[in-house]
């Protein structure tokens, strides 16, 4: 049976991030994607114009509907919006014995807040402890831990701060630093430094969602965490290189780039 991956995240009406990016990524990587919608956003290339979270009851019902009938090999979380939703989803994941990738979405590509301040403590104490891999960017590291990273040398400090909340692994995404795109994957003892050339392309909407979904897809196929993250980084690097203009602002990465390459 085809590996099944469940994304628990918000909807991006512009199609570049959120549930839409997750499902496109899963399709491109050959797994069956399923979704639990946590929030609906009015969103385009210019930013987020509005966001409406779903009731915890609706989120719980979607999750149970999928997991109890179809089953999953991995779960990925994205925008959870409120403390109540964070706690609800953390409880559901804690009772599902599969690898979980937590993308602690706090701020959109355009700088719009996607997580209530009151929810940060729930992310630290409830969600991160059930994560197989947490994938914060540098803004989210600062938001969650207070550690501000200005250089590659501080990535270890950031990783230690996030690991203190309990995820098995953390991937600190250093994409906002100058130079090559450098990420640090560590479980506190084992370290993997992942480097990729930086592409001169501003159309990068959805990179975080796409990377986390790619990791979850690889884990669902049975790969180890270091293997999954390495494969996912390669996929996202190609998607960024193929990113395209859309609307008047920041366009999305191209989730289908590898499929077209294989077709020729």
């Amino acid at each position: 049976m085809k590996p099944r991956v469940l994304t628990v995240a918000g909807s991006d009406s512009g199609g570049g991030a959120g549930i839409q990016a997750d499902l496109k990524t899963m399709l491109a990587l050959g797994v069956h994607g399923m979704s639990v919608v946590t929030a609906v956003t009015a969103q385009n290339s210019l930013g987020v114009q509005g966001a409406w979270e779903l009731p915890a009851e609706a989120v719980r019902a979607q999750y149970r509907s999928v997991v109890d009938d179809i089953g999953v090999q991995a779960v990925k979380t994205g925008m959870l919006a409120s403390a109540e939703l964070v706690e609800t989803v953390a409880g559901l994941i804690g009772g599902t014995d599969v690898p979980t990738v937590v993308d602690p979405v706090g701020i959109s590509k355009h700088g719009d807040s996607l997580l209530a301040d009151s929810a940060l403590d729930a992310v630290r104490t409830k969600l991160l402890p059930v994560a197989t891999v947490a994938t914060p960017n540098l803004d989210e590291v600062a938001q969650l831990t207070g550690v501000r990273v200005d250089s590659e040398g501080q990535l270890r400090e950031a990783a230690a701060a996030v690991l203190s909340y309990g995820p098995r692994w953390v991937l600190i995404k250093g994409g906002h630093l100058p130079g090559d795109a450098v990420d640090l994957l560590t479980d506190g003892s084992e370290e993997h430094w992942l480097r990729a050339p930086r592409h001169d392309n501003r159309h990068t909407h959805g990179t975080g969602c796409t990377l986390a979904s790619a990791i979850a897809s690889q884990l669902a196929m049975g790969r180890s965490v270091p293997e999954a993250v390495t494969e996912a980084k390669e996929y996202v690097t190609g998607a960024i290189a193929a990113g395209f203009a859309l609307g008047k602002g920041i366009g999305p990465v191209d989730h289908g780039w590898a499929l077209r390459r294989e077709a020729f």
Side-chain angles (χ1 to χ4, degrees):
M1 185 181 289
K2 190 185 286 277
R4 290 142 286 157
V5 183
L6 178 63
T7 169
V8 184
S11 167
D12 171 5
S13 54
I19 290 276
Q20 288 79 357
D22 298 338
L23 294 176
K24 291 175 190 177
T25 298
M26 293 168 191
L27 177 67
L29 294 178
V31 303
H32 176 65
M34 304 169 292
S35 62
V36 170
V37 180
T38 60
V40 175
T41 68
Q43 189 172 167
N44 56 26
S45 69
L46 298 173
V48 179
Q49 292 80 42
W52 300 266
E53 67 184 76
L54 268 67
E57 177 187 3
V59 169
R60 187 180 293 107
Q62 291 175 81
Y63 190 98
R64 291 263 59 95
S65 177
V66 170
V67 172
D68 294 347
D69 172 45
I70 301 170
V72 294
Q73 272 75 56
V75 176
K76 175 261 177 184
T77 71
M79 177 185 177
L80 299 181
S82 68
E84 184 183 16
L85 287 186
V86 170
E87 290 173 7
T88 297
V89 170
L92 290 165
I93 289 170
T96 309
D97 188 22
V98 296
T100 300
V101 181
V102 169
D103 184 14
V105 175
I107 303 165
S108 79
K109 180 70 69 180
H110 303 88
D112 302 294
S113 177
L114 298 174
L115 183 72
D117 289 341
S118 58
L120 285 171
D121 198 50
V123 172
R124 296 182 193 106
T125 61
K126 300 286 199 302
L127 189 61
L128 288 176
V130 298
T132 307
V133 190
T135 63
N137 63 29
L138 299 184
D139 289 336
E140 290 154 357
V141 168
Q143 198 178 30
L144 288 166
T145 71
V147 174
R148 300 196 176 277
V149 176
D150 300 309
S151 68
E152 188 179 315
Q154 295 172 292
L155 291 177
R156 277 197 185 100
E157 179 189 357
V162 177
L163 283 171
S164 72
Y165 293 116
R168 281 179 45 208
W169 291 83
V170 63
L171 177 68
I172 304 293
K173 299 180 294 192
H176 295 175
L177 296 174
D180 284 351
V182 180
D183 304 330
L184 171 59
L185 173 69
T186 179
D187 63 354
S189 57
E190 192 178 322
E191 276 187 0
H192 300 268
W193 293 84
L194 296 97
R195 297 176 185 274
R198 185 176 298 281
H199 293 287
D200 184 20
N201 185 353
R202 74 190 191 96
H203 301 302
T204 56
H205 185 49
T207 48
C209 307
T210 300
L211 178 63
S213 293
I215 295 169
S217 298
Q218 297 291 346
L219 291 173
M221 290 187 272
R223 293 188 170 85
S224 68
V225 170
E227 289 169 341
V229 172
T230 300
E231 292 283 340
K233 169 95 169 175
E234 183 179 329
Y235 168 73
V236 170
T237 299
I240 291 170
F244 56 93
L246 199 70
K248 302 181 186 72
I250 299 172
V253 301
D254 186 346
H255 299 93
W257 71 273
L259 296 175
R260 284 194 305 281
R261 180 186 64 180
E262 290 165 7
F264 291 103

